[in-house]
Amino acid sequence: MRKNNIIFRSFLPQDAAALAYTLRAEDRRELAASHPGQEPASLIAAFARASRCAFSLLYCGKVAAVCGVVAPCLMGTRAQVWLLTGEEVEKIPKSFFRIMRGLVRYFLEIYPELFVFTDSRYKRALRFAKHLGASSAGSLSVRKNISFLEFIFRRNNNGRSH
């Protein structure tokens, strides 16, 4: 794998439709559970518009993932992060992890605490959040008998996540 096949850049509006077309089955199921009846491309675009900043990860010219951070208020100390992945991330697991770990660190420089809700059935996402340094908040949200678990990333005294 050549590293120049991976591009990490600001989200562009056309990335929503491109990722929606190749969403991993688990991401598609999570969106359907959290936002019933809404189309993935519309949701991705809405998430990006609501974000303070949103990014796209491309592999070999294809959108592999999109992510962002949504802050309830500009000067707040807590923000919600989100991430949706396409099939292309399967081809670059180590690079994907390193990029997302760096992004969490970047977001923690801005907000001391980040949170994310994950479908409890999405085991790969639950493991990924923990490997990135999130801890379970012990709370959950239920939508139509599907549990969503909250995970927290916190800045430690050195400015790094733990």
Side-chain angles (χ1 to χ4, degrees), residues 6-10 54-58 65-67 99-100 102-103 107:
I6 298 172
I7 297 171
F8 187 70
R9 60 159 168 75
S10 294
F55 300 98
S56 297
L57 175 66
L58 285 72
V66 295
C67 57
I99 291 166
M100 291 301 110
L103 190 61
F107 288 155

Side-chain angles (χ1 to χ4, degrees), residues 28-116:
R28 191 173 302 281
R29 183 173 71 168
E30 183 176 60
L31 283 177
S34 62
H35 299 81
Q38 296 184 44
E39 292 297 319
S42 298
L43 287 170
I44 295 166
F47 295 163
R49 281 191 306 273
S51 296
R52 177 170 181 210
C53 52
F55 300 98
S56 297
L57 175 66
L58 285 72
Y59 177 65
C60 293
K62 296 179 184 175
V63 179
V66 295
C67 57
V69 62
V70 178
C73 69
L74 187 58
M75 299 302 287
T77 60
R78 192 169 196 255
Q80 182 174 9
V81 290
W82 60 274
L83 168 66
L84 292 165
T85 57
E87 296 164 358
E88 292 298 308
V89 298
E90 303 290 342
K91 299 173 184 174
I92 52 169
K94 290 179 182 177
S95 296
F96 174 64
F97 177 79
R98 283 192 295 270
I99 291 166
M100 291 301 110
R101 182 178 56 199
L103 190 61
V104 166
R105 288 178 179 159
Y106 170 73
F107 288 155
L108 284 170
E109 289 177 11
I110 302 166
Y111 300 100
E113 184 174 284
L114 305 171
F115 66 97
V116 62

